[in-house]
Amino acid sequence: MNIYDIDSDKVINAIVASGSITYKEAIEKLVPLISKTEFQRKLQDKKFYEKLERDIVDGCIMPSITIAFVDKSINTSSKKEDIIKFFEKNYSKSFVLDGIQRLNTLSRVSESKGIDLEKKLYLNIVYSDSVDKLLYRMITLNNGQKPMTPRHQVEVMMANVFDFKELGIEVQTEKERAVKIKMNSFNKSDLVQAYLAYMANSPMVDNKKIIQEKMDELIVNKIVSAEKVENDSTFESVIKSLAKFQKSPISLKWLKQANNLVGFAVGMKTSSADIKNLTVEQFENAIKIFDQAFSDFNPSKIKLGKLRRELSYDYFKNYDKLRDFDSLELLEYFSELTND
């Protein structure tokens, strides 16, 4: 490996090293990252990359790829030798932010006659202390590449970075739930939607009236244009709060409902400190008051799912202001909020 430059990305507070490795080393160390999890991006049919295959064999310079680490040990004072040593020791813990298709193409032509496996593959290596910041960068890097939707990118990030059992919650895919449902488990697709909404800083990231392609564009636009929230909130803190509050059966049932989960996650982005300091009993009482206020809306006059998502978001976003409201006071607040 060669490292040519080390710089900082001030938008996501990350260290970015520019360097290169040989094709041979990329095939050995980076190609296995492609199939690291079942959630990785679905690889395109190889016909889309046949021209690149021929070019690689003919000696082209392949466009650089970007890999990332969630790590705090590499910083502005790190030297090139530190980057190389870290990579050699930890490359299996990295994941591809941009370039999965190119690595897959390289893998397919690796045994072709005439390929120079000592040719350089240029790399950008991103080191960040935050999964959310890396997801933001991943989405901006892949924006416009139709095969990888924002949802797919969130799935990749969640699968590569979050150890749900270690964080304290059980998570199941739809496929796993079809075989056997774990009663206390969260639906992975609901968590993906909650993470999308969290990154977009908006609870509304799903609208069946809009074709999916355009909805994906809207989501990316929301994520890219979302204002920074100046606090220590991360989606990991949301997961840890789920693990804490699920000790109450009432809270677990409430949080497993997708609209509640999405609203809670996005609201917590703004009021992370307040929510994290709640006891299990305080959170249970908070959602009881919320549900009592919400139950007084006329179901024939509202879209229940949409309103529940929006109001749970507002409730937890402004929890410091609303925490002492009783159900009637909260209903009055919600009434003013929803009054057209």
Side-chain angles (χ1 to χ4, degrees):
M1 165 174 270
N2 295 309
I3 297 296
Y4 307 119
D5 190 32
I6 303 171
D7 207 342
S8 58
D9 184 326
K10 294 183 179 179
V11 174
I12 61 170
N13 298 322
I15 300 300
V16 181
S18 301
S20 68
I21 56 177
T22 64
Y23 282 177
K24 181 180 179 181
E25 193 173 8
I27 292 164
E28 175 191 340
K29 296 177 178 177
L30 300 185
V31 166
L33 301 176
I34 297 173
S35 54
K36 199 172 182 181
T37 73
E38 63 180 295
F39 300 103
Q40 274 289 17
R41 181 179 181 177
K42 187 179 288 187
L43 298 172
Q44 286 190 19
D45 190 293
K46 70 175 185 178
K47 68 181 180 182
F48 290 103
Y49 284 84
E50 284 178 349
K51 181 66 169 70
L52 180 57
E53 288 181 22
R54 294 194 297 270
D55 286 350
I56 291 172
V57 175
D58 291 341
C60 78
I61 295 178
M62 193 160 69
S64 63
I65 68 170
T66 303
I67 65 172
F69 293 92
V70 180
D71 185 82
K72 298 180 182 179
S73 63
I74 300 298
N75 51 53
T76 52
S77 63
S78 298
K79 302 187 183 306
K80 295 178 180 179
E81 294 77 17
D82 299 326
I83 301 288
I84 294 172
K85 286 179 182 177
F86 184 92
F87 176 82
E88 293 298 333
K89 185 177 180 180
N90 299 287
Y91 63 84
S92 62
K93 297 178 182 178
S94 68
F95 52 92
V96 182
L97 284 187
D98 184 51
I100 290 175
Q101 303 290 1
R102 275 158 273 162
L103 283 171
N104 185 57
T105 304
L106 177 61
S107 177
R108 283 201 304 270
V109 300
S110 60
E111 296 182 9
S112 299
K113 283 186 177 181
I115 187 171
D116 180 5
L117 293 179
E118 296 303 313
K119 195 163 184 64
K120 292 177 182 177
L121 172 64
Y122 292 93
L123 280 179
N124 293 313
I125 311 171
V126 184
Y127 299 87
S128 176
D129 63 353
S130 167
V131 179
D132 304 336
K133 294 171 186 174
L134 288 176
L135 179 57
Y136 171 86
R137 179 57 66 234
M138 184 180 190
I139 287 173
T140 54
L141 282 170
N142 287 286
N143 187 17
Q145 296 184 20
K146 293 180 183 178
M148 195 164 190
T149 67
R151 284 176 175 78
H152 289 162
Q153 293 175 66
V154 168
E155 287 175 353
V156 169
M157 189 65 76
M158 290 181 76
N160 278 282
V161 177
F162 294 128
D163 185 332
F164 292 112
K165 285 190 177 180
E166 188 174 299
L167 291 171
I169 65 172
E170 285 283 347
V171 177
Q172 284 188 298
T173 64
E174 293 287 353
K175 188 176 180 180
E176 289 168 338
R177 293 172 77 85
V179 177
K180 184 179 180 181
I181 296 177
K182 293 182 180 179
M183 296 307 296
N184 294 335
S185 67
F186 289 87
N187 191 328
K188 182 156 280 184
S189 63
D190 293 342
L191 279 173
V192 168
Q193 192 169 26
Y195 199 175
L196 262 181
Y198 179 92
M199 289 300 298
N201 203 23
S202 167
M204 306 314 297
V205 290
D206 194 20
N207 190 333
K208 302 302 181 187
K209 295 179 181 178
I210 300 175
I211 60 175
Q212 192 59 56
E213 183 179 339
K214 284 298 175 184
M215 193 67 225
D216 289 337
E217 286 183 25
L218 290 174
I219 291 170
V220 169
N221 186 59
K222 283 184 178 183
I223 292 172
V224 173
S225 61
E227 293 295 325
K228 286 185 178 180
V229 178
E230 298 298 334
N231 57 30
D232 62 350
S233 177
T234 64
F235 194 73
E236 184 173 314
S237 67
V238 174
I239 298 173
K240 287 180 177 178
S241 293
L242 297 181
K244 177 182 178 181
F245 299 141
Q246 71 177 353
K247 294 172 185 175
S248 157
I250 293 172
S251 298
L252 175 62
K253 183 178 179 181
W254 193 88
L255 288 166
K256 285 173 64 176
Q257 208 280 334
N259 290 317
N260 291 334
L261 177 61
V262 170
F264 168 75
V266 188
M268 189 174 169
K269 185 172 186 177
T270 301
S271 54
S272 178
D274 293 321
I275 305 303
K276 286 192 292 187
N277 286 332
L278 291 177
T279 66
V280 175
E281 293 75 19
Q282 286 172 327
F283 182 79
E284 181 183 307
N285 187 56
I287 62 171
K288 283 180 178 178
I289 293 171
F290 173 87
D291 277 349
Q292 180 59 57
F294 188 82
S295 68
D296 289 323
F297 279 95
N298 186 339
S300 66
K301 303 290 185 181
I302 60 173
K303 294 180 179 178
L304 280 170
K306 179 176 181 290
L307 190 64
R308 177 173 281 276
R309 185 177 295 207
E310 290 175 338
L311 293 185
S312 59
Y313 158 61
D314 190 274
Y315 183 52
F316 286 107
K317 176 184 178 182
N318 298 296
Y319 187 73
D320 188 48
K321 179 176 75 173
L322 303 175
R323 65 191 310 153
D324 294 324
F325 281 27
D326 61 26
S327 60
L328 193 59
E329 290 170 324
L330 189 60
L331 176 63
E332 183 180 1
Y333 172 80
F334 286 161
S335 177
E336 292 174 358
L337 197 67
T338 57
N339 190 25
D340 294 328

